[in-house]
Amino acid sequence: MKLLTLNFLTCARKTCKSAPSSFPLHPREAELEVVQADVNLAFLKNILPRLMWGELRTITGELGLPTLPDTAPERSALFTAAAAVSETTTPGVDPEAIDAPEHPAPVEEPEETPTQTAIDLHRILLETCIKEGKLVCGNCGHEYAVKEGVANFLLPGHLV
Amino acid sequence: MPQYLVRFVQMHESFRTAELEALAVLVGVKIEVMKYDKDSPFCIIKLPSEAAARSIISRSIISQAIYELWGEGPTYKDLHTSVREQSSSEWAKYEKTPFRFAMDSYRGTRTPSEQHTIMESFSYMGFSGPIRMKDPEVSFRIFEDYEFKADVPKYYYLGRLIAVSGRHAKTTYDLKKRHYISTTSMDAELALLTANMALAAPGKLFFDPFMGTGGFPIACAHFGAVVSGSDIDGRSIRGTGGSARRGQTGKMDVVGNFTQYNLEGQYLGAFVSDLTNTPLRMPTDNARSGGGYLDGIVCDPPYGIREGLKVLGSREKYGDEERAIHEHRFKDPNYIAPKRPYSFTAILDDILAFAVNTLVENGRLSMWMPTANDEDIELVIPTHPSLEIVSVCVQPFNRWSRRLLTYRRLSEFEVPQGVLDGTTKEYEKGVKADELNDFRRKYFEGFKEFEKMKLDSSEKKAEQIPPDSKGVSGRWREKSDR
């Protein structure tokens, strides 16, 4: 499982859901693996505002990965546009805009190159995988085993 | 807006315009369906531009191609008049271009010499470029639409090819060629259609809570989405439980499927979990955990027939002794979490609630749901105040049908105030699967009401059948007659 998934996972117990300490789950005895993948800039740009950055830092810290900056990078820090095309529209009323259809026509995006910030983030979120280990809830202490890269969140009979 | 002709395939009729409309939303253009008949594969639509037509159709699974409409009519005479009126201004553009003419007769045939005569009748357009059957620069097609078993077509069209569809993906992802499948894997064509309905696209994050061997996530990854999934049965994800493929041995798993299609970069990994006790964070439970984060959810939940519908828990409430046993044993590597049958209507509502919690605004949920034909009423489609139904597509089978329901997550402003406050629903009570699942019971009763209707009409026929010929011996027949 790629590290990004940990940004969406909490304890499966209903009683833990409302407790702030149930998120994120803490990896223990984790065996990491890096699986190379192409940088997916469109995805990074989309997912960045949905990341819980503080919790991501906690996890990378606990796994002994390179320290992340205190705050999430700006979306614009992820790429440099190869051709300088201004995205801002010209001020003033465009006569054609009045008759424009409800949905705007697709805009051809200029070629963009990922910055080092994007490559580093990609490395952590989408190339680093947990292969074996445990994920521990900070609230109830329940341990979820990760085997062959697949975490098991099935609760035992007495915890359902 | 210019008019275009879409050449659909003549199957899954109720999905056809729904797919086009979904793709138009994805591309961000307005689409207007001018002429559509479920009995014909030809559909006339309006789109703002050729580029829009190209982007829409290049992803479409249920169509073959899109053409610029050059003319139409109920007879060849009308077609020629219409071509002269509508497209004579275009002719000069293609005067010297290498071109090709072809014919497409739906439910009819033309001999090669007839085809030749028909094509030659368009010679007034004055194309003097070389005819090139392979890789022409411009391609025209004459369409003939026949009534079933009619001698003469009822309608004609002429179109200039703009783009062929993405239907070839159906062959690439064909289950017959997939390394690892299970008994209930969704047909590749319908899985890809589902991904289109849910607007899977590059940059998006998609999730399937009943992934099985990963058919839906693979279809979404094909369209560029980053995907993840979960299943209550870990064996299907890890692949240690064998495969549905006859004679297949060795390690086959979901990751292997992604590798087969060169999509492993878009696979986040999966986990074993139960939807009613999901580990995914729920923004409504915990204010600290932000808003929704999934762009789309696609799933085919277990109907309780070929795949059991189970959730975590036990049929009966535990006594102290049993609790103690579980508490003592749960760290055992061979421990298996207890599961119990669950109500089908409840799981559908659980999926909607899950979608409301995890989807971003305008994110989509596309979910399959079975419906017995004798129950085919609008009421049974599950609803939620925060979800708007975008489309309902039906795939009919012999005795039952299933539907693909697509919902859009509304923004907070679109949901009327007060509707979200506590209405708790009553679900089927009981501990056995049949008590909990109306559809399952009907299925195994063989849809009796339906059968009875059939029987009444063919009663005379049945009487003529000798008593022993239906696999029931005479002795038993007498007994059951009493």
Side-chain angles (χ1 to χ4, degrees):
Chain A
M1 58 190 309
K2 295 182 175 164
L3 273 200
L4 174 61
T5 45
L6 284 192
N7 213 262
F8 306 123
L9 292 169
T10 66
C11 186
R13 291 179 71 177
K14 289 197 171 100
T15 45
C16 282
K17 282 270 192 236
S18 55
S21 56
S22 69
F23 177 70
L25 298 172
H26 305 281
R28 295 268 190 281
E29 300 158 36
E31 190 182 315
L32 297 181
E33 183 186 32
V34 171
V35 180
Q36 300 258 333
D38 294 336
V39 178
N40 189 341
L41 190 58
F43 182 69
L44 285 177
K45 279 157 68 177
N46 191 21
I47 208 74
L48 183 66
R50 301 177 200 169
L51 287 180
M52 305 294 287
W53 190 261
E55 285 75 5
L56 182 65
R57 286 191 78 226
T58 312
I59 290 168
T60 52
E62 286 172 358
L63 288 171
L65 294 168
T67 318
L68 289 169
D70 291 346
T71 52
E74 289 293 317
R75 199 164 168 272
S76 56
L78 292 177
F79 57 93
T80 47
V85 178
S86 105
E87 278 187 40
T88 49
T89 47
T90 41
V93 180
D94 185 354
E96 274 178 336
I98 298 163
D99 295 325
E102 195 183 332
H103 304 282
V107 184
E108 289 290 322
E109 286 197 20
E111 265 312 291
E112 291 167 349
T113 17
T115 57
Q116 192 57 43
T117 315
I119 294 169
D120 291 345
L121 199 58
H122 168 77
R123 183 78 178 198
I124 289 169
L125 296 176
L126 297 161
E127 287 191 331
T128 313
C129 310
I130 298 186
K131 219 176 143 199
E132 301 283 333
K134 287 171 189 162
L135 298 171
V136 185
C137 172
N139 189 51
C140 69
H142 188 71
E143 294 175 349
Y144 300 98
V146 183
K147 280 181 202 157
E148 299 169 54
V150 179
N152 182 357
F153 286 97
L154 297 184
L155 294 168
H158 63 288
L159 294 182
V160 178
Chain B
M1 287 205 297
Q3 292 199 34
Y4 298 90
L5 180 144
V6 178
R7 170 56 159 103
F8 282 127
V9 296
Q10 193 57 37
M11 62 191 300
H12 302 312
E13 288 85 351
S14 70
F15 291 74
R16 301 192 300 184
T17 49
E19 191 204 30
L20 287 187
E21 276 156 10
L23 292 175
V25 171
L26 188 69
V27 174
V29 296
K30 210 173 153 201
I31 187 172
E32 209 177 317
V33 178
M34 307 303 293
K35 183 180 169 187
Y36 174 77
D37 178 3
K38 72 173 175 14
D39 198 35
S40 163
F42 309 115
C43 169
I44 307 294
I45 57 170
K46 271 187 180 176
L47 285 172
S49 69
E50 195 174 314
R54 182 165 289 136
S55 350
I56 287 180
I57 292 301
S58 61
R59 275 195 52 161
S60 165
I61 297 297
I62 203 86
S63 71
Q64 289 176 349
I66 192 162
Y67 299 82
E68 185 177 62
L69 187 65
W70 275 32
E72 60 182 309
T75 64
Y76 268 117
K77 200 172 158 244
D78 295 316
L79 176 62
H80 289 305
T81 318
S82 155
V83 168
R84 283 196 172 92
E85 273 172 19
Q86 285 189 32
S87 63
S88 52
S89 57
E90 298 282 304
W91 297 349
K93 276 194 217 166
Y94 305 102
E95 202 188 335
K96 301 271 184 237
T97 319
F99 73 104
R100 153 184 187 174
F101 253 79
M103 279 200 70
D104 181 349
S105 304
Y106 171 66
R107 287 199 296 219
T109 46
R110 293 281 190 186
T111 63
S113 67
E114 280 175 328
Q115 288 191 14
H116 188 80
T117 320
I118 293 167
M119 288 177 202
E120 283 302 319
S121 72
F122 288 89
S123 59
Y124 55 83
M125 297 198 300
F127 297 157
S128 57
I131 297 169
R132 206 182 280 168
M133 295 314 279
K134 215 176 162 189
D135 300 324
E137 280 175 36
V138 59
S139 181
F140 299 91
R141 199 169 281 255
I142 305 153
F143 300 94
E144 295 186 330
D145 195 355
Y146 292 72
E147 280 298 350
F148 185 53
K149 284 188 174 166
D151 296 330
V152 195
K154 61 175 173 185
Y155 213 76
Y156 305 84
Y157 306 91
L158 176 71
R160 177 178 68 86
L161 178 70
I162 291 173
V164 291
S165 75
R167 191 167 167 79
H168 51 83
K170 170 182 180 280
T171 321
T172 315
Y173 294 92
D174 192 350
L175 290 185
K176 287 179 194 160
K177 289 181 269 178
R178 190 171 300 171
H179 290 330
Y180 175 56
I181 57 169
S182 76
T183 48
T184 53
S185 291
M186 178 70 75
D187 166 49
E189 180 179 10
L190 292 174
L192 289 160
L193 256 177
T194 311
N196 263 344
M197 298 302 298
L199 312 182
K204 291 188 176 181
L205 178 60
F206 270 65
F207 186 77
D208 178 359
F210 306 96
M211 69 183 294
T213 54
F216 283 114
I218 287 167
C220 296
H222 165 70
F223 292 118
V226 170
V227 296
S228 178
S230 71
D231 202 289
I232 198 167
D233 187 353
R235 294 171 302 180
S236 73
I237 304 172
R238 290 198 197 93
T240 43
S243 164
R245 183 138 289 150
R246 199 169 156 214
Q248 179 170 295
T249 50
K251 172 88 176 169
M252 293 286 166
D253 57 7
V254 176
V255 185
N257 277 346
F258 278 91
T259 315
Q260 179 185 356
Y261 301 117
N262 212 3
L263 294 170
E264 66 272 40
Q266 283 154 257
Y267 179 49
L268 282 184
F271 50 88
V272 188
S273 83
D274 162 27
L275 187 81
T276 62
N277 290 282
T278 180
L280 283 176
R281 68 170 144 97
M282 295 290 159
T284 44
D285 286 349
N286 189 342
R288 216 170 55 97
S289 59
Y293 45 88
L294 297 176
D295 292 287
I297 298 169
V298 283
C299 64
D300 185 18
Y303 312 153
I305 293 170
R306 292 208 290 165
E307 287 291 354
L309 173 48
K310 292 201 169 174
V311 297
L312 288 178
S314 56
R315 284 173 196 251
E316 310 290 345
K317 218 172 156 51
Y318 284 147
D320 290 343
E321 201 178 326
E322 279 166 310
R323 285 185 68 86
I325 293 171
H326 282 283
E327 239 165 288
H328 180 65
R329 293 267 174 84
F330 80 95
K331 286 195 174 166
D332 202 51
N334 297 323
Y335 177 83
I336 293 169
K339 298 174 191 84
R340 65 182 168 97
Y342 194 57
S343 151
F344 187 66
T345 44
I347 196 95
L348 292 176
D349 283 341
D350 289 344
I351 297 169
L352 297 196
F354 172 77
V356 169
N357 275 324
T358 52
L359 283 177
V360 297
E361 277 176 20
N362 292 322
R364 285 194 174 191
L365 161 69
S366 283
M367 148 173 102
W368 287 87
M369 169 190 161
T371 315
N373 274 350
D374 55 354
E375 262 197 328
D376 199 6
I377 40 172
E378 201 68 24
L379 284 170
V380 293
I381 294 174
T383 55
H384 191 287
S386 299
L387 294 170
E388 171 193 71
I389 295 178
V390 179
S391 66
V392 178
C393 305
V394 186
Q395 183 193 18
F397 293 114
N398 187 15
R399 285 191 207 164
W400 60 291
S401 59
R402 63 179 173 187
R403 297 165 161 148
L404 174 63
L405 306 176
T406 303
Y407 300 83
R408 179 176 73 92
R409 170 75 164 93
L410 299 169
S411 71
E412 300 306 330
F413 307 106
E414 287 173 283
V415 183
Q417 275 195 346
V419 288
L420 290 174
D421 307 336
T423 38
T424 43
K425 251 170 116 173
E426 285 282 312
Y427 295 113
E428 298 96 326
K429 291 203 173 64
V431 290
K432 286 186 193 154
D434 269 359
E435 294 166 349
L436 289 162
N437 191 337
D438 225 25
F439 173 72
R440 182 184 196 274
R441 195 178 59 242
K442 285 212 160 95
Y443 185 95
F444 282 119
E445 283 172 356
F447 297 108
K448 268 184 191 151
E449 296 93 334
F450 184 79
E451 281 295 281
K452 201 165 164 279
M453 270 158 45
K454 255 175 135 181
L455 267 178
D456 289 345
S457 63
S458 61
E459 223 163 19
K460 275 190 183 155
K461 236 183 184 176
E463 278 169 12
Q464 290 162 8
I465 300 170
D468 279 358
S469 68
K470 283 185 90 184
V472 183
S473 75
R475 198 159 54 96
W476 281 101
R477 186 166 285 271
E478 278 165 34
K479 253 193 181 169
S480 58
D481 279 347
R482 254 178 256 149

